[in-house]
Structure formats: structure tokens, C-alpha cells
Amino acid sequence: MSLEVRHPARPGCMLTLHGDADAMAFQCTGCMETGKGPRYTSGDHVLHTYCALATPTLQHPLVEGIMELRLVAPTGGDAVRCDACYDAVRGFHYHSSTSGVDLHPGCAKMPRSITLRGGTIFDLRTEVSHRCTSCKAMEGFYRPWFYRSENNPDQRMYLHVKCIKEIQDAGDDDEVRMMVRLQERAGRNVRLERRVCKTLVIMVRIVFRLLIGDPTPILTEGVNAIVSMAMQ
């Protein structure tokens, strides 16, 4: 990543990269979402790396039409939610006029496919007819995007993009504490297998670390992450 870049919304403002992956949490002044790890800063401006480096247009493999970067979120009756995580859009976001899809810059950067050590493959999908393994919710009429394991149809795992963000935002990435959070989300009447919990924890770590530009999980977990999208 470049050490200095121009602010997407303020061309006269230069942002400087601060690359400490373990730095304190912050609120991005671009997308207005919580952030951790490396960030670009200048005075009161603090941006996720993917917000600071956001391109004017994006061709996403799961979205019809070219997506355009919008720097201001619609408000009032025109307010929208991110189609991937279903959180409110409060700042920078990508919008497709063709399909009406809106994505946070971070959600737009989610890897299309992830292969874990041992060969388990998770693909990002916009729709699945199954409950999330983590929270057990179907989300009613609106269903956030999922990662779905593809290897064994009889033992598939499903994980909301929404759940990945919420589990990571809840605290540190200690494996035991993350497994406890996963079990709490599943509910008292559901007992997740340790194997399933461990796999989901690895997924949460990988997606988050890839987004902030930290290669550690790729090196430690033997992961191949394929981001099949082209920036324009």
C-alpha cells in the first residue's frame, strides 16, 4: 500500500498510512464504520485502508452493473442499507444503478472465495436457503450475504457477512473467546461442534485480516483467498 494517498472526498488532503495491525479501534470518517488495524490519517480524518484506496467505480462479480463510489449517504426516506451485511449506510458506499445494490467499501472487498488448510472452500453468496451456522437466523424477508462451505453438502457451514463483522467488532480475536461468542450467538439450545467453531473462527479472522491488509492469517493458516473482482 502507498504511504500517502489523496483523500477520496478532499483532493487537497493527503492521507498518511499508519500500519500498526494491533492499533486501537477507530471510527472511519469515510464509511463511518468501526475499524481496527492499519488506517490512513490526516488531522481529524481517519479512514480504513479500503476507504482511502476506494476506486471511483467497481465491477463486483456478484452485482449486476458497474458500481459507483458515492461519498455521501442518502438520508431520510432515501436511506439505504448495505446489501451484504444489512448495516445502515452512513458514508462512503458503492451503488449500482442497474441492480440497486449498495455495499460498504469493506463489504465490497470481501474475498469471493477462501480455501482453508485441509481443502475446505467457502464461497461468498448473495442468497442461500439455509440458516446461518453462527446465529441460526434466516433474517426474514431480507437475507444478508453468506459464506457457504462447498466441499461436503451433508456438513455445510454457513456464515453471514453480518455475523463476521459483529463477532470481530465484539472484541479481540483470541480463539477461545471467539468460540464462546459463536456459541452464545447460536443460542442455549444449540451446541456447535468444536470443529465447526474452530473453522468459523478461522474464517472470521481471515476475512477481517485480509480487509485490513494483514497477511498473518494467510501465513499461519495456509489460506488461499481469491478476490475475483476487477477495479476500474
Side-chain angles (χ1 to χ4, degrees):
M1 287 184 285
S2 301
L3 295 180
E4 284 193 336
V5 297
R6 293 187 183 279
H7 194 297
R10 301 173 183 272
C13 175
M14 295 300 295
L15 300 167
T16 302
L17 176 65
H18 293 270
D20 185 357
D22 297 317
M24 293 180 62
F26 64 94
Q27 183 179 43
C28 176
T29 54
C31 68
M32 307 305 292
E33 292 267 289
T34 301
K36 293 176 68 176
R39 75 285 310 266
Y40 280 94
T41 68
S42 177
D44 294 333
H45 302 294
V46 185
L47 275 73
H48 293 113
T49 54
Y50 46 78
C51 286
L53 300 172
T55 54
T57 60
L58 169 72
Q59 178 65 66
H60 196 288
L62 299 181
V63 178
E64 183 181 357
I66 299 295
M67 305 195 79
E68 296 181 354
L69 178 64
R70 295 187 172 180
L71 304 176
V72 178
T75 58
D78 296 323
V80 296
R81 291 182 178 272
C82 173
D83 284 85
C85 71
Y86 203 41
D87 282 344
V89 168
R90 296 185 289 270
F92 290 7
H93 63 288
Y94 282 101
H95 174 77
S96 169
S97 298
T98 303
S99 58
V101 171
D102 295 280
L103 296 175
H104 293 121
C107 292
K109 292 286 290 182
M110 292 277 182
R112 177 69 178 83
S113 180
I114 296 175
T115 303
L116 305 183
R117 177 184 294 167
T120 301
I121 299 171
F122 281 86
D123 283 344
L124 182 62
R125 292 173 169 264
T126 59
E127 294 182 2
V128 292
S129 56
H130 200 283
R131 294 182 183 276
C132 175
T133 305
S134 169
C135 70
K136 299 301 179 183
M138 288 289 286
E139 301 300 332
F141 174 76
Y142 184 89
R143 297 177 183 175
W145 290 8
F146 273 82
Y147 277 100
R148 187 182 80 170
S149 63
E150 301 295 334
N151 302 64
N152 189 340
D154 296 326
Q155 297 182 354
R156 276 188 171 144
M157 289 171 277
Y158 301 80
L159 189 60
H160 282 133
V161 166
K162 175 181 180 179
C163 289
I164 290 175
K165 293 177 66 175
E166 290 179 353
I167 293 167
Q168 186 61 53
D169 287 346
D172 60 60
D173 61 359
D174 175 81
E175 180 177 310
V176 174
R177 286 190 283 272
M178 289 184 76
M179 290 177 73
V180 170
R181 291 200 292 273
L182 278 167
Q183 187 60 62
E184 289 174 346
R185 294 174 67 84
R188 295 181 179 179
N189 298 324
V190 178
R191 184 66 181 174
L192 296 178
E193 295 180 25
R194 181 176 179 81
R195 173 189 63 83
V196 172
C197 272
K198 188 173 180 64
T199 300
L200 296 181
V201 165
I202 291 171
M203 275 292 296
V204 172
R205 279 176 166 172
I206 289 167
V207 172
F208 172 72
R209 291 292 175 174
L210 285 172
L211 287 178
I212 67 173
D214 178 8
T216 303
I218 300 176
L219 299 175
T220 58
E221 301 294 346
V223 173
N224 294 314
I226 303 168
V227 184
S228 52
M229 60 178 63
M231 296 290 188
Q232 296 183 351

